[in-house]
Amino acid sequence: MRDGRKCKGIIFDMDNTLLQSRIDFAAMKEDIFQHLIGHGMLTERFPLHEHTTSTMLEQAKQAGMDDTLYLSCMNLAEKHEVRGMEGAGLEKGVPELIESLHGQFVLVVVTNNSLSAALKALEVTRIKSYFDAIIGREQMEALKPSPSGFTYVLNQFRNIAADEWISVGDSWIDGKASAGAGIPFISYRTSMEAMMDKGVRPIARIEHISEVRNWIYG
């Protein structure tokens, strides 16, 4: 339980948290990597295996990537996202969980995906209407692990303090972004060790999405 703190809102990652993602993230990262190399922002010696697409893009920004090149990278990403959303299903237990939480808590999705891809995926899987807000990368100043998407949520729902939210995600970038905004984080199906190796300290780890309920009533 949550040390007596009352939870008022829950922020969910989308891919591999709500949805069983079919996005080929490795292929996306490789395509964008080659695109950045072609524009002189990175070199072949860049340690790609140590980075996610979002952290690689941050390195490119530091190397001087302009807005035009960034947008072309996002267009590449969106092609992979749209392809990966085709036929995407929900993680086991998600419909029951979301339906039970709807109306009791503010429910939000924060995803590094484009907003259009996210809206389409959530609509196709018939859970879009349960969410009070869906935040895609267009609403962020920088992608997760930046806390930008989470601070956007805090600004949208000013009546809910950071520690009255809980965030749920499967990746360390979700946890890092959540922590940066002061929001408690639950690791979904990723080990505590893997999270802590990246400097993320979740309040809990869950194996089944339904276990979120154990951490919202305190």
Side-chain angles (χ1 to χ4, degrees), residues 10-21 89-95 97-98 109-110 127 144 167-171 174 185-190 206 208-210 212:
I10 308 168
I11 299 172
F12 292 93
D13 174 46
M14 190 173 75
D15 295 313
N16 298 317
T17 301
L18 294 174
L19 303 186
Q20 294 177 339
S21 176
L90 295 171
E91 287 283 305
K92 186 177 181 180
V94 163
L97 175 68
I98 297 301
V109 174
V110 174
I127 61 171
K144 294 185 281 186
S167 145
V168 186
D170 69 297
S171 172
D174 304 316
F185 175 70
I186 294 174
S187 175
Y188 174 60
R189 303 190 74 179
T190 299
I206 60 175
H208 302 286
I209 200 69
S210 62
V212 167

PDB file of all heavy atoms in Angstrom, residues 10-21 89-95 97-98 109-110 127 144 167-171 174 185-190 206 208-210 212:
ATOM      1  N   ILE A  10      -4.011   8.227 -12.100  1.00  0.00           N
ATOM      2  CA  ILE A  10      -3.097   7.169 -12.540  1.00  0.00           C
ATOM      3  C   ILE A  10      -2.653   7.478 -13.970  1.00  0.00           C
ATOM      4  O   ILE A  10      -3.486   7.727 -14.853  1.00  0.00           O
ATOM      5  CB  ILE A  10      -3.761   5.783 -12.498  1.00  0.00           C
ATOM      6  CG1 ILE A  10      -4.372   5.536 -11.115  1.00  0.00           C
ATOM      7  CG2 ILE A  10      -2.741   4.690 -12.834  1.00  0.00           C
ATOM      8  CD1 ILE A  10      -5.296   4.342 -11.060  1.00  0.00           C
ATOM      9  N   ILE A  11      -1.347   7.460 -14.186  1.00  0.00           N
ATOM     10  CA  ILE A  11      -0.768   7.688 -15.498  1.00  0.00           C
ATOM     11  C   ILE A  11      -0.216   6.363 -16.016  1.00  0.00           C
ATOM     12  O   ILE A  11       0.585   5.711 -15.343  1.00  0.00           O
ATOM     13  CB  ILE A  11       0.364   8.732 -15.437  1.00  0.00           C
ATOM     14  CG1 ILE A  11      -0.173  10.073 -14.934  1.00  0.00           C
ATOM     15  CG2 ILE A  11       1.029   8.895 -16.803  1.00  0.00           C
ATOM     16  CD1 ILE A  11       0.908  11.110 -14.663  1.00  0.00           C
ATOM     17  N   PHE A  12      -0.644   5.980 -17.194  1.00  0.00           N
ATOM     18  CA  PHE A  12      -0.188   4.736 -17.804  1.00  0.00           C
ATOM     19  C   PHE A  12       0.703   5.010 -19.006  1.00  0.00           C
ATOM     20  O   PHE A  12       0.401   5.887 -19.831  1.00  0.00           O
ATOM     21  CB  PHE A  12      -1.386   3.905 -18.306  1.00  0.00           C
ATOM     22  CG  PHE A  12      -2.263   3.346 -17.225  1.00  0.00           C
ATOM     23  CD1 PHE A  12      -3.382   4.043 -16.789  1.00  0.00           C
ATOM     24  CD2 PHE A  12      -1.982   2.113 -16.642  1.00  0.00           C
ATOM     25  CE1 PHE A  12      -4.205   3.526 -15.800  1.00  0.00           C
ATOM     26  CE2 PHE A  12      -2.807   1.586 -15.655  1.00  0.00           C
ATOM     27  CZ  PHE A  12      -3.919   2.293 -15.236  1.00  0.00           C
ATOM     28  N   ASP A  13       1.784   4.262 -19.109  1.00  0.00           N
ATOM     29  CA  ASP A  13       2.486   4.149 -20.380  1.00  0.00           C
ATOM     30  C   ASP A  13       1.557   3.378 -21.319  1.00  0.00           C
ATOM     31  O   ASP A  13       0.618   2.717 -20.863  1.00  0.00           O
ATOM     32  CB  ASP A  13       3.803   3.397 -20.165  1.00  0.00           C
ATOM     33  CG  ASP A  13       4.529   3.118 -21.455  1.00  0.00           C
ATOM     34  OD1 ASP A  13       4.651   4.031 -22.285  1.00  0.00           O
ATOM     35  OD2 ASP A  13       4.975   1.969 -21.646  1.00  0.00           O
ATOM     36  N   MET A  14       1.822   3.415 -22.625  1.00  0.00           N
ATOM     37  CA  MET A  14       0.937   2.713 -23.544  1.00  0.00           C
ATOM     38  C   MET A  14       1.523   1.387 -24.029  1.00  0.00           C
ATOM     39  O   MET A  14       0.982   0.322 -23.742  1.00  0.00           O
ATOM     40  CB  MET A  14       0.587   3.605 -24.742  1.00  0.00           C
ATOM     41  CG  MET A  14      -0.516   3.012 -25.613  1.00  0.00           C
ATOM     42  SD  MET A  14      -1.101   4.114 -26.909  1.00  0.00           S
ATOM     43  CE  MET A  14       0.267   4.017 -28.063  1.00  0.00           C
ATOM     44  N   ASP A  15       2.639   1.439 -24.757  1.00  0.00           N
ATOM     45  CA  ASP A  15       3.199   0.223 -25.350  1.00  0.00           C
ATOM     46  C   ASP A  15       3.716  -0.742 -24.287  1.00  0.00           C
ATOM     47  O   ASP A  15       4.519  -0.366 -23.430  1.00  0.00           O
ATOM     48  CB  ASP A  15       4.351   0.575 -26.301  1.00  0.00           C
ATOM     49  CG  ASP A  15       3.860   1.378 -27.492  1.00  0.00           C
ATOM     50  OD1 ASP A  15       2.846   0.979 -28.078  1.00  0.00           O
ATOM     51  OD2 ASP A  15       4.486   2.397 -27.824  1.00  0.00           O
ATOM     52  N   ASN A  16       3.245  -1.963 -24.361  1.00  0.00           N
ATOM     53  CA  ASN A  16       3.648  -3.035 -23.444  1.00  0.00           C
ATOM     54  C   ASN A  16       3.277  -2.756 -21.991  1.00  0.00           C
ATOM     55  O   ASN A  16       3.825  -3.365 -21.074  1.00  0.00           O
ATOM     56  CB  ASN A  16       5.145  -3.329 -23.581  1.00  0.00           C
ATOM     57  CG  ASN A  16       5.489  -3.818 -24.973  1.00  0.00           C
ATOM     58  OD1 ASN A  16       4.769  -4.641 -25.533  1.00  0.00           O
ATOM     59  ND2 ASN A  16       6.561  -3.290 -25.541  1.00  0.00           N
ATOM     60  N   THR A  17       2.344  -1.840 -21.793  1.00  0.00           N
ATOM     61  CA  THR A  17       1.735  -1.607 -20.478  1.00  0.00           C
ATOM     62  C   THR A  17       0.223  -1.737 -20.621  1.00  0.00           C
ATOM     63  O   THR A  17      -0.399  -2.584 -19.989  1.00  0.00           O
ATOM     64  CB  THR A  17       2.122  -0.228 -19.913  1.00  0.00           C
ATOM     65  OG1 THR A  17       3.547  -0.154 -19.790  1.00  0.00           O
ATOM     66  CG2 THR A  17       1.487  -0.014 -18.540  1.00  0.00           C
ATOM     67  N   LEU A  18      -0.366  -0.911 -21.469  1.00  0.00           N
ATOM     68  CA  LEU A  18      -1.779  -1.072 -21.817  1.00  0.00           C
ATOM     69  C   LEU A  18      -1.931  -1.967 -23.044  1.00  0.00           C
ATOM     70  O   LEU A  18      -2.789  -2.844 -23.080  1.00  0.00           O
ATOM     71  CB  LEU A  18      -2.420   0.294 -22.103  1.00  0.00           C
ATOM     72  CG  LEU A  18      -2.538   1.261 -20.928  1.00  0.00           C
ATOM     73  CD1 LEU A  18      -3.043   2.607 -21.420  1.00  0.00           C
ATOM     74  CD2 LEU A  18      -3.459   0.710 -19.842  1.00  0.00           C
ATOM     75  N   LEU A  19      -1.088  -1.719 -24.036  1.00  0.00           N
ATOM     76  CA  LEU A  19      -1.177  -2.457 -25.304  1.00  0.00           C
ATOM     77  C   LEU A  19      -0.046  -3.470 -25.436  1.00  0.00           C
ATOM     78  O   LEU A  19       1.077  -3.215 -24.990  1.00  0.00           O
ATOM     79  CB  LEU A  19      -1.094  -1.498 -26.497  1.00  0.00           C
ATOM     80  CG  LEU A  19      -2.108  -0.370 -26.597  1.00  0.00           C
ATOM     81  CD1 LEU A  19      -1.925   0.340 -27.935  1.00  0.00           C
ATOM     82  CD2 LEU A  19      -3.519  -0.862 -26.449  1.00  0.00           C
ATOM     83  N   GLN A  20      -0.340  -4.580 -26.072  1.00  0.00           N
ATOM     84  CA  GLN A  20       0.692  -5.537 -26.473  1.00  0.00           C
ATOM     85  C   GLN A  20       1.276  -5.018 -27.778  1.00  0.00           C
ATOM     86  O   GLN A  20       0.787  -5.308 -28.862  1.00  0.00           O
ATOM     87  CB  GLN A  20       0.098  -6.938 -26.647  1.00  0.00           C
ATOM     88  CG  GLN A  20      -0.398  -7.548 -25.357  1.00  0.00           C
ATOM     89  CD  GLN A  20      -1.054  -8.900 -25.569  1.00  0.00           C
ATOM     90  OE1 GLN A  20      -1.483  -9.226 -26.674  1.00  0.00           O
ATOM     91  NE2 GLN A  20      -1.123  -9.694 -24.521  1.00  0.00           N
ATOM     92  N   SER A  21       2.307  -4.214 -27.664  1.00  0.00           N
ATOM     93  CA  SER A  21       2.846  -3.508 -28.812  1.00  0.00           C
ATOM     94  C   SER A  21       3.476  -4.445 -29.828  1.00  0.00           C
ATOM     95  O   SER A  21       4.164  -5.401 -29.479  1.00  0.00           O
ATOM     96  CB  SER A  21       3.897  -2.488 -28.348  1.00  0.00           C
ATOM     97  OG  SER A  21       4.501  -1.869 -29.448  1.00  0.00           O
ATOM     98  N   GLY A  89      -3.250  -5.643 -29.659  1.00  0.00           N
ATOM     99  CA  GLY A  89      -4.230  -6.025 -28.646  1.00  0.00           C
ATOM    100  C   GLY A  89      -3.883  -5.416 -27.305  1.00  0.00           C
ATOM    101  O   GLY A  89      -2.898  -4.697 -27.164  1.00  0.00           O
ATOM    102  N   LEU A  90      -4.699  -5.692 -26.325  1.00  0.00           N
ATOM    103  CA  LEU A  90      -4.491  -5.168 -24.981  1.00  0.00           C
ATOM    104  C   LEU A  90      -3.741  -6.182 -24.121  1.00  0.00           C
ATOM    105  O   LEU A  90      -3.860  -7.395 -24.318  1.00  0.00           O
ATOM    106  CB  LEU A  90      -5.832  -4.853 -24.328  1.00  0.00           C
ATOM    107  CG  LEU A  90      -6.652  -3.732 -24.976  1.00  0.00           C
ATOM    108  CD1 LEU A  90      -8.041  -3.689 -24.368  1.00  0.00           C
ATOM    109  CD2 LEU A  90      -5.953  -2.387 -24.821  1.00  0.00           C
ATOM    110  N   GLU A  91      -2.979  -5.678 -23.180  1.00  0.00           N
ATOM    111  CA  GLU A  91      -2.388  -6.542 -22.175  1.00  0.00           C
ATOM    112  C   GLU A  91      -3.512  -7.222 -21.386  1.00  0.00           C
ATOM    113  O   GLU A  91      -4.584  -6.647 -21.178  1.00  0.00           O
ATOM    114  CB  GLU A  91      -1.514  -5.723 -21.207  1.00  0.00           C
ATOM    115  CG  GLU A  91      -0.201  -5.253 -21.788  1.00  0.00           C
ATOM    116  CD  GLU A  91       0.838  -6.355 -21.851  1.00  0.00           C
ATOM    117  OE1 GLU A  91       1.137  -6.973 -20.817  1.00  0.00           O
ATOM    118  OE2 GLU A  91       1.358  -6.599 -22.959  1.00  0.00           O
ATOM    119  N   LYS A  92      -3.264  -8.435 -20.953  1.00  0.00           N
ATOM    120  CA  LYS A  92      -4.273  -9.194 -20.230  1.00  0.00           C
ATOM    121  C   LYS A  92      -4.715  -8.460 -18.967  1.00  0.00           C
ATOM    122  O   LYS A  92      -3.893  -8.020 -18.172  1.00  0.00           O
ATOM    123  CB  LYS A  92      -3.720 -10.571 -19.854  1.00  0.00           C
ATOM    124  CG  LYS A  92      -4.749 -11.492 -19.227  1.00  0.00           C
ATOM    125  CD  LYS A  92      -4.161 -12.866 -18.952  1.00  0.00           C
ATOM    126  CE  LYS A  92      -5.194 -13.802 -18.334  1.00  0.00           C
ATOM    127  NZ  LYS A  92      -4.624 -15.144 -18.054  1.00  0.00           N
ATOM    128  N   GLY A  93      -6.019  -8.302 -18.809  1.00  0.00           N
ATOM    129  CA  GLY A  93      -6.575  -7.660 -17.620  1.00  0.00           C
ATOM    130  C   GLY A  93      -6.799  -6.169 -17.747  1.00  0.00           C
ATOM    131  O   GLY A  93      -7.429  -5.558 -16.875  1.00  0.00           O
ATOM    132  N   VAL A  94      -6.326  -5.558 -18.844  1.00  0.00           N
ATOM    133  CA  VAL A  94      -6.466  -4.111 -18.997  1.00  0.00           C
ATOM    134  C   VAL A  94      -7.924  -3.666 -19.088  1.00  0.00           C
ATOM    135  O   VAL A  94      -8.319  -2.716 -18.394  1.00  0.00           O
ATOM    136  CB  VAL A  94      -5.646  -3.606 -20.206  1.00  0.00           C
ATOM    137  CG1 VAL A  94      -6.094  -2.201 -20.635  1.00  0.00           C
ATOM    138  CG2 VAL A  94      -4.162  -3.598 -19.864  1.00  0.00           C
ATOM    139  N   PRO A  95      -8.770  -4.297 -19.910  1.00  0.00           N
ATOM    140  CA  PRO A  95     -10.155  -3.802 -19.997  1.00  0.00           C
ATOM    141  C   PRO A  95     -10.871  -3.780 -18.652  1.00  0.00           C
ATOM    142  O   PRO A  95     -11.540  -2.797 -18.309  1.00  0.00           O
ATOM    143  CB  PRO A  95     -10.816  -4.795 -20.965  1.00  0.00           C
ATOM    144  CG  PRO A  95      -9.696  -5.363 -21.763  1.00  0.00           C
ATOM    145  CD  PRO A  95      -8.539  -5.440 -20.814  1.00  0.00           C
ATOM    146  N   LEU A  97      -9.502  -3.689 -15.648  1.00  0.00           N
ATOM    147  CA  LEU A  97      -8.899  -2.700 -14.746  1.00  0.00           C
ATOM    148  C   LEU A  97      -9.381  -1.296 -15.087  1.00  0.00           C
ATOM    149  O   LEU A  97      -9.845  -0.567 -14.193  1.00  0.00           O
ATOM    150  CB  LEU A  97      -7.374  -2.756 -14.830  1.00  0.00           C
ATOM    151  CG  LEU A  97      -6.649  -1.681 -14.006  1.00  0.00           C
ATOM    152  CD1 LEU A  97      -6.831  -1.922 -12.516  1.00  0.00           C
ATOM    153  CD2 LEU A  97      -5.175  -1.612 -14.371  1.00  0.00           C
ATOM    154  N   ILE A  98      -9.275  -0.919 -16.345  1.00  0.00           N
ATOM    155  CA  ILE A  98      -9.633   0.436 -16.754  1.00  0.00           C
ATOM    156  C   ILE A  98     -11.101   0.726 -16.477  1.00  0.00           C
ATOM    157  O   ILE A  98     -11.459   1.805 -15.990  1.00  0.00           O
ATOM    158  CB  ILE A  98      -9.308   0.640 -18.251  1.00  0.00           C
ATOM    159  CG1 ILE A  98      -7.811   0.498 -18.505  1.00  0.00           C
ATOM    160  CG2 ILE A  98      -9.801   1.995 -18.730  1.00  0.00           C
ATOM    161  CD1 ILE A  98      -6.952   1.460 -17.737  1.00  0.00           C
ATOM    162  N   VAL A 109      -2.932   8.695 -20.227  1.00  0.00           N
ATOM    163  CA  VAL A 109      -1.885   7.968 -20.948  1.00  0.00           C
ATOM    164  C   VAL A 109      -0.792   8.962 -21.322  1.00  0.00           C
ATOM    165  O   VAL A 109      -1.086  10.046 -21.843  1.00  0.00           O
ATOM    166  CB  VAL A 109      -2.433   7.312 -22.234  1.00  0.00           C
ATOM    167  CG1 VAL A 109      -1.290   6.685 -23.048  1.00  0.00           C
ATOM    168  CG2 VAL A 109      -3.481   6.263 -21.903  1.00  0.00           C
ATOM    169  N   VAL A 110       0.458   8.601 -21.047  1.00  0.00           N
ATOM    170  CA  VAL A 110       1.610   9.389 -21.498  1.00  0.00           C
ATOM    171  C   VAL A 110       2.508   8.463 -22.305  1.00  0.00           C
ATOM    172  O   VAL A 110       3.037   7.490 -21.773  1.00  0.00           O
ATOM    173  CB  VAL A 110       2.398  10.009 -20.327  1.00  0.00           C
ATOM    174  CG1 VAL A 110       3.663  10.700 -20.843  1.00  0.00           C
ATOM    175  CG2 VAL A 110       1.537  11.016 -19.569  1.00  0.00           C
ATOM    176  N   ILE A 127     -10.631   1.412 -25.668  1.00  0.00           N
ATOM    177  CA  ILE A 127     -10.456   1.924 -24.302  1.00  0.00           C
ATOM    178  C   ILE A 127     -10.221   3.433 -24.278  1.00  0.00           C
ATOM    179  O   ILE A 127     -10.091   4.023 -23.198  1.00  0.00           O
ATOM    180  CB  ILE A 127      -9.311   1.203 -23.548  1.00  0.00           C
ATOM    181  CG1 ILE A 127      -7.967   1.392 -24.254  1.00  0.00           C
ATOM    182  CG2 ILE A 127      -9.633  -0.274 -23.356  1.00  0.00           C
ATOM    183  CD1 ILE A 127      -6.782   0.887 -23.433  1.00  0.00           C
ATOM    184  N   LYS A 144      10.223  11.004 -23.091  1.00  0.00           N
ATOM    185  CA  LYS A 144      10.692  10.243 -21.934  1.00  0.00           C
ATOM    186  C   LYS A 144      12.043   9.621 -22.289  1.00  0.00           C
ATOM    187  O   LYS A 144      12.195   9.144 -23.410  1.00  0.00           O
ATOM    188  CB  LYS A 144       9.685   9.126 -21.589  1.00  0.00           C
ATOM    189  CG  LYS A 144       8.334   9.611 -21.114  1.00  0.00           C
ATOM    190  CD  LYS A 144       7.413   8.458 -20.676  1.00  0.00           C
ATOM    191  CE  LYS A 144       6.780   7.745 -21.839  1.00  0.00           C
ATOM    192  NZ  LYS A 144       5.770   6.729 -21.409  1.00  0.00           N
ATOM    193  N   SER A 167       2.174   6.373 -11.382  1.00  0.00           N
ATOM    194  CA  SER A 167       2.495   6.114 -12.779  1.00  0.00           C
ATOM    195  C   SER A 167       2.884   4.654 -12.935  1.00  0.00           C
ATOM    196  O   SER A 167       3.527   4.074 -12.057  1.00  0.00           O
ATOM    197  CB  SER A 167       3.632   7.051 -13.188  1.00  0.00           C
ATOM    198  OG  SER A 167       4.508   6.475 -14.088  1.00  0.00           O
ATOM    199  N   VAL A 168       2.469   4.057 -14.054  1.00  0.00           N
ATOM    200  CA  VAL A 168       2.726   2.639 -14.323  1.00  0.00           C
ATOM    201  C   VAL A 168       3.367   2.503 -15.702  1.00  0.00           C
ATOM    202  O   VAL A 168       2.847   3.033 -16.681  1.00  0.00           O
ATOM    203  CB  VAL A 168       1.427   1.810 -14.287  1.00  0.00           C
ATOM    204  CG1 VAL A 168       1.737   0.321 -14.431  1.00  0.00           C
ATOM    205  CG2 VAL A 168       0.625   2.087 -13.019  1.00  0.00           C
ATOM    206  N   GLY A 169       4.487   1.774 -15.768  1.00  0.00           N
ATOM    207  CA  GLY A 169       5.135   1.570 -17.055  1.00  0.00           C
ATOM    208  C   GLY A 169       6.083   0.396 -17.023  1.00  0.00           C
ATOM    209  O   GLY A 169       6.452  -0.085 -15.946  1.00  0.00           O
ATOM    210  N   ASP A 170       6.488  -0.050 -18.210  1.00  0.00           N
ATOM    211  CA  ASP A 170       7.335  -1.239 -18.310  1.00  0.00           C
ATOM    212  C   ASP A 170       8.804  -0.911 -18.528  1.00  0.00           C
ATOM    213  O   ASP A 170       9.646  -1.807 -18.487  1.00  0.00           O
ATOM    214  CB  ASP A 170       6.862  -2.129 -19.472  1.00  0.00           C
ATOM    215  CG  ASP A 170       7.133  -1.474 -20.818  1.00  0.00           C
ATOM    216  OD1 ASP A 170       6.568  -0.391 -21.088  1.00  0.00           O
ATOM    217  OD2 ASP A 170       7.911  -2.037 -21.608  1.00  0.00           O
ATOM    218  N   SER A 171       9.136   0.346 -18.766  1.00  0.00           N
ATOM    219  CA  SER A 171      10.508   0.719 -19.118  1.00  0.00           C
ATOM    220  C   SER A 171      11.115   1.679 -18.110  1.00  0.00           C
ATOM    221  O   SER A 171      10.400   2.468 -17.474  1.00  0.00           O
ATOM    222  CB  SER A 171      10.520   1.366 -20.504  1.00  0.00           C
ATOM    223  OG  SER A 171      11.788   1.900 -20.803  1.00  0.00           O
ATOM    224  N   ASP A 174      10.151   5.292 -18.457  1.00  0.00           N
ATOM    225  CA  ASP A 174       8.901   5.686 -17.803  1.00  0.00           C
ATOM    226  C   ASP A 174       9.163   6.075 -16.351  1.00  0.00           C
ATOM    227  O   ASP A 174       8.652   7.081 -15.855  1.00  0.00           O
ATOM    228  CB  ASP A 174       7.878   4.543 -17.838  1.00  0.00           C
ATOM    229  CG  ASP A 174       7.590   4.054 -19.243  1.00  0.00           C
ATOM    230  OD1 ASP A 174       7.423   4.896 -20.140  1.00  0.00           O
ATOM    231  OD2 ASP A 174       7.526   2.830 -19.445  1.00  0.00           O
ATOM    232  N   PHE A 185       6.232   5.713  -8.959  1.00  0.00           N
ATOM    233  CA  PHE A 185       6.241   4.860 -10.150  1.00  0.00           C
ATOM    234  C   PHE A 185       6.151   3.386  -9.788  1.00  0.00           C
ATOM    235  O   PHE A 185       6.814   2.917  -8.856  1.00  0.00           O
ATOM    236  CB  PHE A 185       7.523   5.107 -10.946  1.00  0.00           C
ATOM    237  CG  PHE A 185       7.700   4.192 -12.128  1.00  0.00           C
ATOM    238  CD1 PHE A 185       6.890   4.308 -13.247  1.00  0.00           C
ATOM    239  CD2 PHE A 185       8.683   3.204 -12.123  1.00  0.00           C
ATOM    240  CE1 PHE A 185       7.050   3.469 -14.339  1.00  0.00           C
ATOM    241  CE2 PHE A 185       8.853   2.356 -13.202  1.00  0.00           C
ATOM    242  CZ  PHE A 185       8.034   2.487 -14.320  1.00  0.00           C
ATOM    243  N   ILE A 186       5.343   2.642 -10.554  1.00  0.00           N
ATOM    244  CA  ILE A 186       5.230   1.190 -10.415  1.00  0.00           C
ATOM    245  C   ILE A 186       5.790   0.539 -11.672  1.00  0.00           C
ATOM    246  O   ILE A 186       5.398   0.888 -12.793  1.00  0.00           O
ATOM    247  CB  ILE A 186       3.761   0.762 -10.220  1.00  0.00           C
ATOM    248  CG1 ILE A 186       3.231   1.288  -8.879  1.00  0.00           C
ATOM    249  CG2 ILE A 186       3.626  -0.754 -10.265  1.00  0.00           C
ATOM    250  CD1 ILE A 186       1.746   1.029  -8.665  1.00  0.00           C
ATOM    251  N   SER A 187       6.695  -0.388 -11.490  1.00  0.00           N
ATOM    252  CA  SER A 187       7.300  -1.117 -12.602  1.00  0.00           C
ATOM    253  C   SER A 187       6.425  -2.297 -12.992  1.00  0.00           C
ATOM    254  O   SER A 187       6.132  -3.163 -12.170  1.00  0.00           O
ATOM    255  CB  SER A 187       8.700  -1.613 -12.214  1.00  0.00           C
ATOM    256  OG  SER A 187       9.251  -2.420 -13.235  1.00  0.00           O
ATOM    257  N   TYR A 188       6.006  -2.339 -14.236  1.00  0.00           N
ATOM    258  CA  TYR A 188       5.163  -3.413 -14.744  1.00  0.00           C
ATOM    259  C   TYR A 188       6.012  -4.433 -15.495  1.00  0.00           C
ATOM    260  O   TYR A 188       6.553  -4.144 -16.553  1.00  0.00           O
ATOM    261  CB  TYR A 188       4.067  -2.843 -15.647  1.00  0.00           C
ATOM    262  CG  TYR A 188       3.216  -3.882 -16.341  1.00  0.00           C
ATOM    263  CD1 TYR A 188       2.475  -4.805 -15.594  1.00  0.00           C
ATOM    264  CD2 TYR A 188       3.145  -3.944 -17.718  1.00  0.00           C
ATOM    265  CE1 TYR A 188       1.689  -5.756 -16.229  1.00  0.00           C
ATOM    266  CE2 TYR A 188       2.355  -4.888 -18.361  1.00  0.00           C
ATOM    267  CZ  TYR A 188       1.630  -5.797 -17.613  1.00  0.00           C
ATOM    268  OH  TYR A 188       0.860  -6.745 -18.238  1.00  0.00           O
ATOM    269  N   ARG A 189       6.178  -5.606 -14.894  1.00  0.00           N
ATOM    270  CA  ARG A 189       6.828  -6.766 -15.496  1.00  0.00           C
ATOM    271  C   ARG A 189       8.330  -6.593 -15.758  1.00  0.00           C
ATOM    272  O   ARG A 189       8.938  -7.447 -16.384  1.00  0.00           O
ATOM    273  CB  ARG A 189       6.116  -7.184 -16.784  1.00  0.00           C
ATOM    274  CG  ARG A 189       4.641  -7.485 -16.575  1.00  0.00           C
ATOM    275  CD  ARG A 189       4.011  -8.127 -17.787  1.00  0.00           C
ATOM    276  NE  ARG A 189       4.441  -9.525 -17.893  1.00  0.00           N
ATOM    277  CZ  ARG A 189       4.031 -10.361 -18.854  1.00  0.00           C
ATOM    278  NH1 ARG A 189       3.219  -9.922 -19.805  1.00  0.00           N
ATOM    279  NH2 ARG A 189       4.436 -11.597 -18.867  1.00  0.00           N
ATOM    280  N   THR A 190       8.902  -5.533 -15.309  1.00  0.00           N
ATOM    281  CA  THR A 190      10.354  -5.343 -15.411  1.00  0.00           C
ATOM    282  C   THR A 190      10.932  -5.411 -14.015  1.00  0.00           C
ATOM    283  O   THR A 190      10.385  -4.825 -13.079  1.00  0.00           O
ATOM    284  CB  THR A 190      10.696  -3.996 -16.066  1.00  0.00           C
ATOM    285  OG1 THR A 190      10.139  -3.973 -17.387  1.00  0.00           O
ATOM    286  CG2 THR A 190      12.195  -3.794 -16.162  1.00  0.00           C
ATOM    287  N   ILE A 206       4.957  -4.992 -10.320  1.00  0.00           N
ATOM    288  CA  ILE A 206       3.794  -5.862 -10.476  1.00  0.00           C
ATOM    289  C   ILE A 206       3.980  -6.745 -11.711  1.00  0.00           C
ATOM    290  O   ILE A 206       4.637  -6.350 -12.678  1.00  0.00           O
ATOM    291  CB  ILE A 206       2.476  -5.067 -10.579  1.00  0.00           C
ATOM    292  CG1 ILE A 206       2.493  -4.107 -11.778  1.00  0.00           C
ATOM    293  CG2 ILE A 206       2.198  -4.313  -9.280  1.00  0.00           C
ATOM    294  CD1 ILE A 206       1.175  -3.382 -12.023  1.00  0.00           C
ATOM    295  N   HIS A 208       1.086  -8.546 -12.972  1.00  0.00           N
ATOM    296  CA  HIS A 208      -0.201  -8.466 -13.661  1.00  0.00           C
ATOM    297  C   HIS A 208      -0.768  -7.060 -13.490  1.00  0.00           C
ATOM    298  O   HIS A 208      -0.716  -6.486 -12.397  1.00  0.00           O
ATOM    299  CB  HIS A 208      -1.176  -9.505 -13.110  1.00  0.00           C
ATOM    300  CG  HIS A 208      -0.656 -10.914 -13.218  1.00  0.00           C
ATOM    301  ND1 HIS A 208      -0.608 -11.591 -14.412  1.00  0.00           N
ATOM    302  CD2 HIS A 208      -0.139 -11.751 -12.282  1.00  0.00           C
ATOM    303  CE1 HIS A 208      -0.083 -12.798 -14.211  1.00  0.00           C
ATOM    304  NE2 HIS A 208       0.207 -12.915 -12.927  1.00  0.00           N
ATOM    305  N   ILE A 209      -1.327  -6.511 -14.566  1.00  0.00           N
ATOM    306  CA  ILE A 209      -1.795  -5.132 -14.535  1.00  0.00           C
ATOM    307  C   ILE A 209      -2.879  -4.922 -13.481  1.00  0.00           C
ATOM    308  O   ILE A 209      -3.014  -3.830 -12.915  1.00  0.00           O
ATOM    309  CB  ILE A 209      -2.277  -4.683 -15.932  1.00  0.00           C
ATOM    310  CG1 ILE A 209      -2.294  -3.158 -16.037  1.00  0.00           C
ATOM    311  CG2 ILE A 209      -3.621  -5.301 -16.281  1.00  0.00           C
ATOM    312  CD1 ILE A 209      -0.947  -2.507 -16.032  1.00  0.00           C
ATOM    313  N   SER A 210      -3.630  -5.959 -13.155  1.00  0.00           N
ATOM    314  CA  SER A 210      -4.683  -5.840 -12.145  1.00  0.00           C
ATOM    315  C   SER A 210      -4.130  -5.490 -10.768  1.00  0.00           C
ATOM    316  O   SER A 210      -4.846  -4.951  -9.915  1.00  0.00           O
ATOM    317  CB  SER A 210      -5.480  -7.137 -12.054  1.00  0.00           C
ATOM    318  OG  SER A 210      -4.643  -8.219 -11.655  1.00  0.00           O
ATOM    319  N   VAL A 212      -2.323  -3.161  -9.966  1.00  0.00           N
ATOM    320  CA  VAL A 212      -2.332  -1.705  -9.751  1.00  0.00           C
ATOM    321  C   VAL A 212      -3.290  -1.367  -8.616  1.00  0.00           C
ATOM    322  O   VAL A 212      -3.037  -0.470  -7.803  1.00  0.00           O
ATOM    323  CB  VAL A 212      -2.732  -0.956 -11.042  1.00  0.00           C
ATOM    324  CG1 VAL A 212      -3.055   0.511 -10.759  1.00  0.00           C
ATOM    325  CG2 VAL A 212      -1.610  -1.067 -12.078  1.00  0.00           C
TER     326      VAL A 212
END
